Amino acid sequence: MSRRTVLAIPLTPIAGARFQPTGFPDLGPAQYLAPGPTPADDWVPALHVESPQSMANRLELTTWDLGAQDQVADLAGLPYVRVVAPDGSFLTSSRLEAHRLASAYVMDGDIDGEPGRNVLRSRLDLAEGRAMDHRGIARQICALDPLSLIHGVFFAQKPWPWQPKIARAITCFIDAVDVQQAVSGGVKTDSVNPRVDAEGGSGRGTAEGYGMVPHQRVEFTARQITAHVVVDLDQIRSYGLGPTGEELLTALIDYELAALFRAGSLRLRTACDLVADEAHPALEQIPTPEAAAERVRSAIGAAADLLGPVTEVVW
């Protein structure tokens, strides 16, 4: 029985050779040295193109229709938490929030007139002096939003007797190896007033958006860009949801992977538009979007007894 699914998917820029990596506060591009193929090889410059937390968000976003402000039609019948304003207008959801079910909007909102954090604590059956029922918690999370069992959730509520945490069952990141900087630049133009006195106190300096402002741009080229995917099948089995629950979660993972890697380009940023090599064997382990959609629809129907309704939170 397989314990992990491990994929390494080659990616290339959809146009040209340059790409823009993710940037981190006070760090910028995350450059590092990677070991060469053998111990005798020199270390090579490498780059963290997209982080696990960002890829988790991108995978989860494949389940959401931004135009409809609802989950995609293929996932009809799957529960999630929907946050609305008092007038009923949509605000956010457990699919869009960084902390998913543990979002502040869920905790501080009301569910059927009760504070969200009280409802969640009751649903998770947390009590002083009693050990957590990990499988019971997983079942309750599945009934609220199964995606939190895939991408993780941490209920960091200090007043609670326990703070349940679900790790990611899928980890995905994109790295580039043997990279070189591609330095270019540009200028922000001002067709009305190209020269300004930034020190004159007029309030019309470059800080206010006036004048000509040259700037530098640093992108990268790479000999190899790879998306790494690891699915922890042992963790999914540890939830104790049975065959239908396991099938639901693995079908959802395949649905997300198919939508992200096989439905076209992977546009991470304006200047980072990548595409997977469809001829590579790693892509054969990911179903087509059509096959993934058919499988997940069937899995949702089979796991109906594990799934609750869409929960509405008023914030």
Side-chain angles (χ1 to χ4, degrees), residues 95-148:
R95 304 286 175 79
L96 301 176
E97 284 296 293
H99 297 290
R100 301 181 179 87
L101 290 175
S103 163
Y105 293 98
V106 176
M107 293 295 163
D108 292 340
D110 288 340
I111 301 175
D112 295 329
E114 292 290 327
R117 57 175 34 85
N118 293 352
V119 173
L120 266 292
R121 174 176 172 170
S122 177
R123 288 285 298 269
L124 298 178
D125 197 23
L126 303 176
E128 298 279 359
R130 190 177 67 193
M132 282 194 300
D133 178 0
H134 294 280
R135 290 193 167 192
I137 288 171
R139 181 174 286 268
Q140 288 299 323
I141 291 174
C142 185
L144 288 163
D145 189 347
L147 271 295
S148 285

Side-chain angles (χ1 to χ4, degrees), residues 231-262:
V231 180
D232 190 336
L233 300 174
D234 274 352
Q235 179 175 323
I236 290 173
R237 296 187 191 105
S238 75
Y239 297 147
L241 299 175
T244 57
E246 292 172 16
E247 168 63 11
L248 173 64
L249 297 183
T250 53
L252 284 167
I253 288 171
D254 272 357
Y255 182 88
E256 293 182 345
L257 292 173
L260 198 63
F261 291 107
R262 299 201 65 176

Side-chain angles (χ1 to χ4, degrees), residues 17-298:
R18 291 175 292 129
F19 61 92
Q20 174 191 7
T22 189
F24 296 90
D26 303 320
L27 175 65
Q31 297 177 258
Y32 64 98
L33 293 176
T38 70
D41 292 319
D42 290 334
W43 292 70
V44 296
L47 180 70
H48 199 36
V49 180
E50 202 73 4
S51 67
Q53 56 268 31
S54 177
M55 289 302 292
N57 294 338
R58 294 182 186 281
L59 285 165
E60 197 165 19
L61 195 58
T62 66
T63 73
W64 192 257
D65 185 332
L66 291 172
Q69 295 182 330
D70 201 349
Q71 65 184 346
V72 296
D74 289 329
L75 303 189
L78 205 67
Y80 69 94
V81 174
R82 183 178 183 86
V83 182
V84 299
D87 64 2
S89 58
F90 175 79
L91 294 176
T92 186
S93 80
S94 55
R95 304 286 175 79
L96 301 176
E97 284 296 293
H99 297 290
R100 301 181 179 87
L101 290 175
S103 163
Y105 293 98
V106 176
M107 293 295 163
D108 292 340
D110 288 340
I111 301 175
D112 295 329
E114 292 290 327
R117 57 175 34 85
N118 293 352
V119 173
L120 266 292
R121 174 176 172 170
S122 177
R123 288 285 298 269
L124 298 178
D125 197 23
L126 303 176
E128 298 279 359
R130 190 177 67 193
M132 282 194 300
D133 178 0
H134 294 280
R135 290 193 167 192
I137 288 171
R139 181 174 286 268
Q140 288 299 323
I141 291 174
C142 185
L144 288 163
D145 189 347
L147 271 295
S148 285
L149 292 177
I150 293 173
H151 296 295
V153 61
F154 178 29
F155 296 96
Q157 299 291 311
K158 292 183 179 179
W160 290 8
W162 299 96
Q163 298 180 57
K165 183 175 183 178
I166 302 290
R168 291 189 185 99
I170 178 172
T171 300
C172 179
F173 61 90
I174 300 175
D175 276 5
V177 177
D178 201 358
V179 301
Q180 297 290 332
Q181 288 191 354
V183 180
S184 61
V187 63
K188 176 275 205 185
T189 63
D190 187 331
S191 58
V192 176
N193 193 22
R195 300 180 65 182
V196 296
D197 180 8
E199 305 299 328
S202 66
R204 294 184 179 180
T206 56
E208 289 76 29
Y210 295 95
M212 308 286 281
V213 183
H215 60 85
Q216 185 188 69
R217 183 180 186 88
V218 179
E219 296 171 306
F220 287 83
T221 60
R223 193 173 301 279
Q224 187 177 48
I225 307 172
T226 306
H228 299 273
V229 180
V230 179
V231 180
D232 190 336
L233 300 174
D234 274 352
Q235 179 175 323
I236 290 173
R237 296 187 191 105
S238 75
Y239 297 147
L241 299 175
T244 57
E246 292 172 16
E247 168 63 11
L248 173 64
L249 297 183
T250 53
L252 284 167
I253 288 171
D254 272 357
Y255 182 88
E256 293 182 345
L257 292 173
L260 198 63
F261 291 107
R262 299 201 65 176
S265 66
L266 179 62
R267 194 177 190 213
L268 305 178
R269 280 167 292 282
T270 300
C272 190
D273 200 347
L274 307 174
V275 64
D277 179 4
E278 280 286 343
H280 194 274
L283 266 291
E284 296 178 2
Q285 297 186 59
I286 299 175
T288 65
E290 295 77 18
E294 182 177 352
R295 179 188 175 193
V296 81
R297 287 193 294 264
S298 175

